Amino acid sequence: MELRSGVPINDLKALELRLHEKIGVVVGGVGMRKGFTRVPEPDEPATHLTNYITPSGLERLKDEHRFLLTRERPAVAEVVAWAASNGDRSENADYQYNKRRLRQIDGRIRFLRNRIEASEVVDPEAPRSGQRAKRVFFGATVRYANAAGAERVVSIVGTDEVDLDRNYISWMSPLGRALMKSAAGDSVMLQAPGGTEELWVLEVCYKRIAMEPFREPPGSQASEKRVPSRQP
């Protein structure tokens, strides 16, 4: 499996190291701190399990990884180098802020690389037969109803693809787990924090699950046109 740039996924770490060496790990001693390990936030997925993901979801991870590695990190490293040239670093707000930002970017780059390397792509549009086409597995779109008769449609996606506005739920969520392997006509029990709820599966199908593409964050350093001139 390769990135759009043609770099195999298993070479991501080597690519990161080469770019770090090239663009500023040694810029005034302000690159990635040795031993720095970013601890994922509680709502972030773990990286030790297989990362089931749709094709468009994986592409979004790759796009963010490439943006941070080849555009945002070099831009922030340049600002750090400029700020470091302006005197006392301990009282230099630009230096302190952007050095911290550089560490955050390095942590996110490592996190994304781990998620990409652990990915197992499952295409919802791939041909299916027998029970694989009738029952709920990863990539399924499911219509179900609760005891009050209210219907809802959800799509089962990876932990990196959750979008509640689009009713995309994780296969590891309580609802995802409850629906897994069910078929139209089945009833399932949802173990939710508020108690147990019975749901009735009305329809199971497999179709394209459109993902919001990665977009360059507003205000990113890479979008800036220039770095302030160094003071004489």
Side-chain angles (χ1 to χ4, degrees), residues 2-7 59 62-63 66:
E2 297 185 349
L3 297 172
R4 284 179 180 172
S5 60
V7 178
E59 199 59 49
K62 292 178 181 179
D63 288 345
R66 182 169 52 252

Side-chain angles (χ1 to χ4, degrees), residues 20-189:
H20 284 170
E21 291 171 357
K22 182 178 180 180
I23 63 175
V25 171
V26 294
V27 175
V30 297
M32 183 172 59
R33 178 186 299 173
K34 290 185 178 179
F36 174 78
T37 302
R38 176 178 177 271
V39 178
E41 296 297 325
D43 60 344
E44 291 184 338
T47 58
H48 63 281
L49 298 174
T50 299
N51 182 27
Y52 294 105
I53 194 168
T54 66
S56 55
L58 178 59
E59 199 59 49
R60 186 170 63 182
L61 292 186
K62 292 178 181 179
D63 288 345
E64 182 183 357
H65 179 271
R66 182 169 52 252
F67 166 75
L68 291 175
L69 186 62
T70 65
R71 295 191 58 207
E72 185 68 355
R73 191 185 193 283
V76 174
E78 186 177 357
V79 174
V80 172
W82 164 80
S85 71
N86 289 334
D88 187 354
R89 297 178 183 180
S90 65
E91 298 181 1
N92 188 326
D94 284 327
Y95 174 81
Q96 295 294 336
Y97 171 80
N98 285 287
K99 182 179 178 182
R100 183 167 60 251
R101 175 63 181 146
L102 199 60
R103 290 198 296 267
Q104 293 171 344
I105 291 171
D106 285 333
R108 182 65 178 172
I109 287 172
R110 288 195 299 274
F111 176 78
L112 290 169
R113 184 228 309 152
N114 289 337
R115 296 302 289 168
I116 293 169
E117 290 177 346
S119 293
E120 183 169 326
V121 177
V122 179
D123 188 351
E125 295 183 283
R128 297 167 183 263
S129 60
Q131 294 298 309
R132 301 291 300 181
K134 298 177 181 178
R135 295 190 175 274
V136 177
F137 296 99
F138 184 96
T141 294
V142 187
R143 182 167 64 91
Y144 68 90
N146 60 17
E151 295 186 10
R152 184 186 179 196
V153 177
V154 297
S155 294
I156 312 294
V157 298
T159 52
D160 297 302
E161 305 173 286
V162 173
D163 186 340
L164 298 183
D165 291 336
R166 295 189 175 197
N167 289 326
Y168 294 173
I169 65 169
S170 167
W171 67 281
M172 297 184 68
S173 67
L175 179 56
R177 290 179 182 273
L179 293 172
M180 201 62 65
K181 297 184 180 181
S182 63
D186 290 348
S187 65
V188 300
M189 301 304 295

